[in-house]
Amino acid sequence: AQRVTQPEKLLSVFKGAPVELKCNYSYSGSPELFWYVQYSRQRLQLLLRHISRESIKGFTADLNKGETSFHLKKPFAQEEDSAMYYCALSGLGLGYNKLIFGAGTRLAVHP
Amino acid sequence: DVKVTQSSRYLVKRTGEKVFLECVQDMDHENMFWYRQDPGLGLRLIYFSYDVKMKEKGDIPEGYSVSREKKERFSLILESASTNQTSMYLCASSLLRLAADTQYFGPGTRLTVL
């Protein structure tokens, strides 16, 4: 069955420390992976997707098909990165642009 | 700039009431979605629609129905609200029908069922 696992509910770091939010997926086809972010009192929005290979707000994520992972990384965390982060999976087999979301990881960056 | 709006930010209803949540998008998107967002569970898809009058069940459709009479509007209906439907409800839309496209989310409706 298709599934997205984010093993950490909360990740707490100090400003300037490296950050890695973990995401593992289960999917038999060719996956498309996304990271969505929800800042306090704001709507959920796309942060990045693996096919664009962009770095957004200093965040990057590499799709590792061998380990079925799509971890989100940033070398130096900032306080404004504090938010809820969701990893999401899509693919042809899921059809019609459906997304499967993980449970989310709350990132707290302390001064 | 895509705009997805939801009719209410907060709703309080009583058990057994019929509840309507409305969502409107202004970018001529093909797809529209309804999710519920619960702590520790992430977002779970209730229903989605890829065209006017077309709908597909998501992962948790029980106790819900939907309506899409116009392309820009997608309604979620709780036929008889129950306390376990207390949640944050998010609407989303996306442009392309058969591709993994970016979903744009509304601000959410926090529903409390007493």
Side-chain angles (χ1 to χ4, degrees):
Chain A
Q2 303 93 348
R3 187 171 58 249
V4 175
T5 302
Q6 294 179 250
E8 302 134 332
K9 287 187 178 180
L10 172 66
L11 186 61
S12 188
V13 301
F14 287 102
K15 177 182 173 181
V19 169
E20 183 179 50
L21 291 92
K22 290 184 168 52
C23 172
N24 288 90
Y25 66 90
S26 173
Y27 181 60
S28 57
S30 183
E32 301 208 32
L33 276 299
F34 303 77
W35 278 98
Y36 281 79
V37 61
Q38 189 168 30
Y39 301 103
S40 179
R41 290 184 292 278
Q42 294 188 27
R43 62 185 68 194
L44 192 64
Q45 60 186 291
L46 178 70
L47 179 63
L48 56 80
R49 54 188 300 179
H50 86 274
I51 61 169
S52 59
R53 295 184 173 273
E54 292 175 303
S55 173
I56 306 294
K57 299 185 178 183
F59 284 98
T60 59
D62 291 316
L63 176 60
N64 185 324
K65 291 188 178 182
E67 295 184 358
T68 59
S69 69
F70 188 57
H71 303 328
L72 183 68
K73 300 177 184 178
K74 185 170 182 176
F76 307 103
Q78 303 298 315
E79 288 179 69
E80 55 264 31
D81 296 329
S82 296
M84 193 74 180
Y85 291 81
Y86 293 97
C87 182
L89 164 71
S90 186
L92 183 62
L94 294 173
Y96 301 116
N97 195 17
K98 283 174 64 177
L99 286 174
I100 294 176
F101 285 86
T105 298
R106 181 168 297 284
L107 175 63
V109 182
H110 303 286
Chain B
D1 196 23
V2 178
K3 196 71 179 294
V4 180
T5 57
Q6 295 183 228
S7 51
S8 305
R9 292 302 304 270
Y10 301 93
L11 272 181
V12 180
K13 297 291 181 181
R14 296 205 174 273
T15 301
E17 280 193 80
K18 191 168 186 175
V19 182
F20 293 87
L21 303 182
E22 296 238 308
C23 175
V24 177
Q25 51 93 5
D26 66 355
M27 286 300 291
D28 203 34
H29 281 182
E30 301 282 345
N31 306 306
M32 296 188 74
F33 307 84
W34 276 107
Y35 296 91
R36 60 178 286 175
Q37 182 182 31
D38 299 289
L41 296 177
L43 278 75
R44 292 178 292 166
L45 182 64
I46 303 170
Y47 268 98
F48 67 101
S49 168
Y50 52 90
D51 203 348
V52 174
K53 296 191 185 297
M54 304 303 289
K55 59 187 178 184
E56 291 280 345
K57 291 180 180 179
D59 300 315
I60 51 165
E62 296 79 17
Y64 304 94
S65 61
V66 290
S67 172
R68 194 171 182 197
E69 297 296 319
K70 294 185 178 181
K71 190 174 186 180
E72 68 271 18
R73 190 178 298 269
F74 192 36
S75 301
L76 179 69
I77 303 149
L78 287 67
E79 296 290 341
S80 177
S82 63
T83 54
N84 62 13
Q85 293 178 309
T86 291
S87 186
M88 173 69 87
Y89 289 88
L90 299 183
C91 175
S93 70
S94 67
L95 177 62
L96 299 174
R97 187 168 167 177
L98 290 175
D101 200 12
T102 300
Q103 292 193 12
Y104 296 87
F105 285 84
T109 296
R110 184 165 294 283
L111 172 67
T112 301
V113 183
L114 302 175

